[in-house]
Amino acid sequence: MTSFLLLLIVGYVVAFFYTLSASIKNSRRLAELEKEVSGLKAQMAGAVPASVSAEAQDQTEEAANAIVEGVTLPALQADANADQSGTPPPLPLQSKTEDLKQDETVPTAAVTTQAAPKESFESRLGARWAVWLGGITLGLGGILLVKYSIENGLLSPAVRLAMAALFGLLLAAAGEAIRRRAVPGIAAAYSNAMIPGVLTAAASLTLFGVVFAAYGIYDYIGPTTAFILLALVAFATLALSLLHGQALAGLGLFGSMVTPALIVTETPSIWALFGFLTVSWVATALAARYQRWKVVPALANIGLGSWAIGYIMASNTVLAEPVMFALLAMIAGSIWIWPGKAFDHVAEEHPPATESDAAKPANRLLAFLGRAPLAINLTASLAVVLTALALLATGSGISMHPAFVVAVLIIGLAAFGAGRLHAVWPAIFASLAALGCANILAQNNLEFLSTFGSVAATASVAVDHSLQASITRIMGIVFLLFAVEAIRRRTSKDEAFGTLWASIGSIVPVGLGVISFVEYGNLTRDWLHAAYGLAIGLVLFGAAYRFDRTSEPAFRRPVNMLVIGSFLGFLLTIHALTNGLATTILIPLLGFIYVLGTRRRAWPALAWVMALALVIVLGRIAWEPTIVGPQNLGTTPVFNALLAGYGIPTLLAVLSAWLLRHSPDLRIRNFLQALASLMVLMTLAILVRHAMNGGVLNDAVPTLGEQSIYTLLTIGMSGVLMTLDMKSPSPIFRYGSMLAGCVAMVNVLIAHFFVLNPYFTGENTGRWPFFNLLLIGYLLPGAAYAGLAYYARGKRPQPYVALLALWGAALGFAWATLSVRRFWQGENIADWKGFLQGETYSYSVVWLAIGVLLLALGSRFDAKSLRLASAALVLLAVAKAFLIDMSNLEGVLRALSFIGLGVVLIGIGLFYQKILTSKPKDATVQQ
């Protein structure tokens, strides 16, 4: 066994010297490479033109030196800045090498020398793999040695622990000794495979194991001593990571985060636990600030957040104060320690977006959301938000009201998002968490109060049932103040950041006010929430006015967002004080006031506020079409609540569209015109529906008469839009007129011809011979289509005009056919009555007469579509004569049917012959 132990020690020595010799050999190769690069620099210096500045030549030499030292040019500049100022330099947005690429006077070769050479297999095998394998071997050897001594009882536990501790200290000392004597180029070229770092990591793991074995296995020390020793080892590892790299810092962080879990005590102190975790986080942040690390701080955020969530979910009674203060310390450290201001210059060096950038909004958005340091900001945000959600999800008792704890955490995260330009994700997560958690608190109000009450009874804390509502509104006010301050201080440096906080300040305070009003307020009339909304609206509008006076282009988008936010605040006030008809009228009236403001301020948002108000009104109408409720709606036609509820918003929409008819913003002009047209048609339709349905609005299927009125309204709307387009050309009017005509065609095809046709439904057509249901259901819409087709000639595409004419002819044909059936069958023309012989003969006569009439009209107006419709009717009459009249008619009626058909056909042929022969003659005479 002794020989085996000696052999193991010899193996350690051999492995150690092998790795050291490999590193020395690699350093010699680097020295040779340095000589080659020096020669290259000399050649490049001779090739550079005299016009190149001395500064550019110095930068070129630094880029060449970076090949040997394994350091990029930005890192060299950062170190130089750090040496001069004594503080960590800001991270550059782009390296000076990229600036050199933009300088046409610098040769390309001077720039491309920055690329690092590809590492050879020998380098990987000797300089990296050997180090990693050596570290693993050291750890394995130590484990085997301890295992051997335990199994054979060679040494007492105390001696074994002492020797293991000594071995760990020797490893740390060896790592430090090698670090001081190693070739400087090795540390830069093989930063993730440094022999000193591997030895120090092995030493840390050994000491961790020694302390835990002394506490958990042999009971030589108590929990307090073990906790202190483990903490010291963890902090010492973090301190040494400043010399040996980020990987060792991660090991020290892991040790510090695991230490509380390794120590078991019957009386744990939650304050001590989170105090220790907070100190560990701060130590990690300080080390990361000095070395500009990004991975380890993110892991520290994850560790602290995991402890907070785990403690909340596993405890029967949650002590919220230490958790809250630990996370607030993390937020404060993120604001002032790391990343602090280090990345704010990334946004500052970006000028406001130009118009050419607007073509790529997706790229700009991704660049804005992905600005450094992404991992740190995301993990910090998730740690706070998930902890807040855990507080709301736990069924355990809580020492403080959950609404207060959640609000403090979210406000702290919002402060981080408002205080630093790079903290985009904290701002977004804080906004979403504020709205989400406030809604969860409101929905589970009774459950939380009962849970908190059981703890408060033991803690002698009074429960205030109105606390949640007050906290919700206070949180909204704080977000509003953060937004105004962030816009004021940061927008000139970063327009996107100001726009983000303008959106947050416009949405979050109003959203929290709405949650508070709906869940806790008096829905009939609530003066408190009305004052809250009024204050928000005034502050946002005043801030927009104040920022607009700066005349800086960067404030343009934030100002418009604030204007929209002010409207939302006033909208909350309207809903808090009014309901029903008054609310529906006041919303577009408020929007119209903003439209009038366009005469004093050129804010695009003023017009869009009116569009938003009309959309909200349409939403309210969709929710409650009767405006005042079915039980309060009068039965008087036209003069009822519908006239005011639909008519006044429609009138304001029309006035707004007229006032903005010369607006340079084509989008809002078209949108308002479309909304106004839609609301006019909708108002007329709802008044007709109310009048035709006995003063009741429901989902009953309309009658043919009611549907005919809708069709006439749609055709009329098409004509009105066409007229407006002639006077004030607009794509809304142009395409809207054709859309209205097509919608009317669909109504005719589905409702008039099939669904509501009295031939299929059996609906009574009325007692009067001419003024009956068929008149309003078919003849009037047909005449309207004919008039619209005539008016649209030369103004709309020919196929559309032809469709209008054909639809008018089809409706006229339907009226004539059904009128024939009514003449023979009476008021009820249902299909179950069958057909009479005289009725069948009459169809042929009427169809031929209509065909002749259409032919005459087509010739008179030179309308090919009418002539084609005439031909279709004549062919239909021919088909009827041979297929139906031949079998159903008898005697003289059959003969008359064919005689009349023949006469008409001959007449039509003569008519066409005359037309065709007269045209060449006319042309000859003219010539």
Side-chain angles (χ1 to χ4, degrees):
M1 294 299 177
T2 305
S3 60
F4 176 77
L5 181 61
L6 292 175
L7 182 61
L8 185 61
I9 295 174
V10 171
Y12 283 150
V13 174
V14 172
F16 174 78
F17 280 104
Y18 175 77
T19 54
L20 182 61
S21 63
S23 299
I24 295 175
K25 180 180 179 182
N26 191 71
S27 66
R28 293 175 180 173
R29 290 173 55 82
L30 289 173
E32 293 175 0
L33 180 61
E34 185 176 7
K35 293 180 180 179
E36 295 178 2
V37 173
S38 299
L40 179 62
K41 288 193 296 182
Q43 297 177 4
M44 291 166 54
V48 174
S51 60
V52 178
S53 64
E55 180 181 358
Q57 295 179 2
D58 293 339
Q59 293 173 347
T60 305
E61 292 178 0
E62 291 179 2
N65 291 330
I67 301 176
V68 181
E69 299 179 5
V71 181
T72 60
L73 186 56
L76 292 173
Q77 295 169 343
D79 292 340
N81 294 335
D83 293 339
Q84 294 175 4
S85 62
T87 59
L91 289 180
L93 175 64
Q94 59 183 5
S95 66
K96 294 294 183 181
T97 306
E98 295 176 356
D99 294 337
L100 292 176
K101 291 181 181 179
Q102 299 174 0
D103 191 348
E104 297 179 354
T105 62
V106 180
T108 305
V111 178
T112 57
T113 55
Q114 186 181 355
K118 185 178 180 180
E119 189 176 10
S120 64
F121 175 76
E122 180 183 4
S123 176
R124 291 196 300 268
L125 179 64
R128 298 187 185 275
W129 296 352
V131 175
W132 298 333
L133 185 60
I136 296 173
T137 305
L138 282 174
L140 181 60
I143 293 173
L144 292 176
L145 184 61
V146 173
K147 181 176 181 295
Y148 172 76
S149 63
I150 293 175
E151 290 177 349
N152 293 273
L154 298 178
L155 302 171
S156 64
V159 176
R160 287 198 296 268
L161 291 175
M163 292 184 65
L166 180 61
F167 178 68
L169 294 175
L170 289 175
L171 287 176
E176 179 62 18
I178 296 175
R179 185 191 68 81
R180 295 187 178 187
R181 290 174 173 79
V183 179
I186 296 178
Y190 301 98
S191 57
N192 63 339
M194 291 173 57
I195 296 174
V198 172
L199 293 177
T200 305
S204 300
L205 289 175
T206 302
L207 294 176
F208 272 120
V210 169
V211 175
F212 182 71
Y215 163 72
I217 299 177
Y218 300 114
D219 292 330
Y220 284 153
I221 57 178
T224 303
T225 305
F227 184 86
I228 294 174
L229 291 176
L230 289 173
L232 289 175
V233 174
F235 289 137
T237 305
L238 278 173
L240 291 173
S241 68
L242 297 176
L243 302 174
H244 299 290
Q246 187 169 200
L248 188 61
L251 178 63
L253 173 66
F254 176 77
S256 63
M257 291 295 171
V258 171
T259 294
L262 299 177
I263 306 302
V264 179
T265 177
E266 296 180 356
T267 58
S269 174
I270 305 303
W271 278 103
L273 168 64
F274 283 96
F276 169 76
L277 295 173
T278 302
V279 172
S280 300
W281 188 95
V282 172
T284 304
L286 290 172
R289 173 185 172 86
Y290 185 79
Q291 295 290 359
R292 314 191 71 80
W293 290 328
K294 298 179 183 178
V295 177
V296 171
L299 295 177
N301 295 337
I302 294 174
L304 186 57
S306 299
W307 267 107
I309 296 171
Y311 164 69
I312 292 171
M313 302 306 296
S315 299
N316 294 326
T317 300
V318 177
L319 191 62
E321 291 85 346
V323 177
M324 180 176 64
F325 285 118
L327 292 176
L328 289 178
M330 180 191 71
I331 295 172
S334 299
I335 296 175
W336 288 295
I337 300 178
W338 181 254
K341 296 182 179 180
F343 296 91
D344 277 356
H345 76 287
V346 174
E348 293 176 7
E349 292 181 2
H350 274 99
T354 60
E355 295 298 331
S356 60
D357 294 332
K360 301 178 180 179
N363 295 338
R364 290 166 52 201
L365 178 61
L366 291 176
F368 178 62
L369 296 179
R371 58 177 58 175
L374 179 62
I376 301 177
N377 288 343
L378 275 178
T379 52
S381 303
L382 288 174
V384 173
V385 173
L386 294 179
T387 301
L389 292 176
L391 284 169
L392 301 183
T394 181
S396 306
I398 306 176
S399 60
M400 299 177 64
H401 199 295
F404 177 79
V405 182
V406 169
V408 170
L409 293 177
I410 292 176
I411 289 174
L413 187 62
F416 181 25
R420 294 291 177 255
L421 288 175
H422 62 78
V424 176
W425 285 107
I428 295 175
F429 272 93
S431 305
L432 297 176
L435 296 174
C437 292
N439 188 56
I440 294 174
L441 277 165
Q443 296 297 326
N444 300 319
N445 183 27
L446 296 178
E447 179 182 349
F448 281 124
L449 288 178
S450 62
T451 303
F452 173 59
S454 62
V455 181
T458 60
S460 299
V461 179
V463 178
D464 185 2
H465 292 263
S466 63
L467 181 61
Q468 289 180 207
S470 300
I471 289 177
T472 301
R473 293 190 296 271
I474 291 173
M475 192 160 51
I477 295 173
V478 173
F479 266 90
L480 177 63
L481 297 178
F482 281 171
V484 173
E485 186 65 11
I487 296 169
R488 184 185 69 84
R489 298 183 59 184
R490 306 289 184 175
T491 303
S492 58
K493 300 177 181 178
D494 186 0
E495 180 184 1
F497 185 84
T499 304
L500 170 67
W501 270 101
S503 304
I504 293 174
S506 301
I507 296 173
V508 175
V510 177
L512 293 174
V514 170
I515 293 173
S516 176
F517 172 63
V518 172
E519 299 297 336
Y520 311 108
N522 184 356
L523 299 181
T524 302
R525 183 166 297 170
D526 194 319
W527 291 100
L528 177 60
H529 287 91
Y532 174 86
L534 180 62
I536 289 178
L538 292 175
V539 170
L540 290 175
F541 195 87
Y545 182 81
R546 170 66 179 83
F547 296 143
D548 183 64
R549 297 184 64 183
T550 61
S551 301
E552 293 187 31
F555 283 92
R556 182 182 58 184
R557 289 189 179 92
V559 164
N560 284 283
M561 289 302 305
L562 293 176
V563 170
I564 295 176
S566 67
F567 167 74
L568 297 177
F570 297 142
L571 190 65
L572 174 59
T573 300
I574 291 175
H575 281 86
L577 296 179
T578 63
N579 52 58
L581 179 62
T583 305
T584 304
I585 294 175
L586 287 176
I587 292 174
L589 181 60
L590 176 63
F592 186 72
I593 294 174
Y594 276 79
V595 170
L596 295 178
T598 57
R599 300 180 177 274
R600 301 294 301 272
R601 285 289 181 271
W603 296 342
L606 292 172
W608 284 103
V609 163
M610 184 59 185
L612 179 60
L614 295 177
V615 170
I616 294 173
V617 169
L618 291 176
R620 288 180 58 86
I621 291 175
W623 179 264
E624 180 50 76
T626 63
I627 305 295
V628 294
Q631 69 280 1
N632 300 321
L633 182 61
T635 59
T636 304
V638 180
F639 299 101
N640 51 66
L642 297 177
L643 181 62
Y646 285 78
I648 293 178
T650 299
L651 178 62
L652 293 173
V654 172
L655 288 176
S656 299
W658 183 79
L659 289 174
L660 297 174
R661 65 190 184 280
H662 300 305
S663 172
D665 190 349
L666 183 62
R667 296 172 301 173
I668 184 59
R669 191 173 68 194
N670 292 337
F671 191 49
L672 282 177
Q673 291 172 355
L675 287 175
S677 303
L678 175 63
M679 294 185 71
V680 168
L681 182 60
M682 184 178 64
T683 300
L684 295 175
I686 202 68
L687 292 175
V688 169
R689 174 66 173 171
H690 178 266
M692 298 289 292
N693 203 40
V696 177
L697 289 181
N698 52 32
D699 57 354
V701 177
T703 62
L704 178 60
E706 181 182 345
Q707 182 62 47
S708 299
I709 295 177
Y710 299 150
T711 302
L712 291 172
L713 289 175
T714 310
I715 296 173
M717 178 60 64
S718 178
V720 171
L721 293 177
M722 197 183 310
T723 303
L724 293 175
D725 186 46
M726 295 298 101
K727 296 181 177 180
S728 178
S730 168
I732 295 296
F733 295 152
R734 185 180 311 115
Y735 297 111
S737 64
M738 291 189 289
L739 178 62
C742 293
V743 169
M745 292 180 195
V746 174
N747 285 336
V748 168
L749 181 63
I750 296 176
H752 293 249
F753 287 158
F754 296 101
V755 177
L756 301 178
N757 192 331
Y759 177 76
F760 298 114
T761 63
E763 182 181 357
N764 192 290
T765 58
R767 295 177 299 173
W768 296 90
F770 180 76
F771 298 98
N772 51 48
L773 181 63
L774 300 180
L775 173 67
I776 189 174
Y778 295 94
L779 185 58
L780 291 182
Y785 265 118
L788 184 62
Y790 179 78
Y791 183 64
R793 296 180 64 187
K795 303 181 181 69
R796 291 295 178 263
Q798 183 58 34
Y800 173 73
V801 176
L803 281 176
L804 293 176
L806 289 176
W807 240 255
L811 284 167
F813 169 77
W815 173 80
T817 302
L818 294 176
S819 295
V820 168
R821 182 167 179 79
R822 186 185 181 282
F823 175 81
W824 290 96
Q825 299 289 349
E827 299 176 9
N828 193 312
I829 59 175
D831 58 339
W832 56 268
K833 286 188 173 183
F835 294 90
L836 303 174
Q837 284 197 6
E839 177 186 353
T840 303
Y841 176 75
S842 300
Y843 289 140
S844 300
V845 175
V846 170
W847 291 355
L848 288 174
I850 295 176
V852 172
L853 178 62
L854 289 177
L855 181 60
L857 291 175
S859 176
R860 169 65 178 80
F861 297 106
D862 193 19
K864 185 178 180 181
S865 59
L866 293 180
R867 295 197 297 269
L868 291 176
S870 170
L873 283 176
V874 172
L875 290 176
L876 181 62
V878 172
K880 174 181 176 295
F882 283 95
L883 298 177
I884 298 176
D885 294 355
M886 183 69 72
S887 58
N888 293 336
L889 295 180
E890 298 177 355
V892 68
L893 291 178
R894 179 186 297 178
L896 291 175
S897 175
F898 280 89
I899 292 172
L901 177 61
V903 172
V904 171
L905 289 176
I906 292 173
I908 291 174
L910 180 62
F911 179 79
Y912 268 102
Q913 288 178 4
K914 183 178 180 180
I915 292 177
L916 293 176
T917 56
S918 64
K919 286 186 177 180
K921 292 180 180 179
D922 295 339
T924 304
V925 172
Q926 290 176 1
Q927 290 176 357

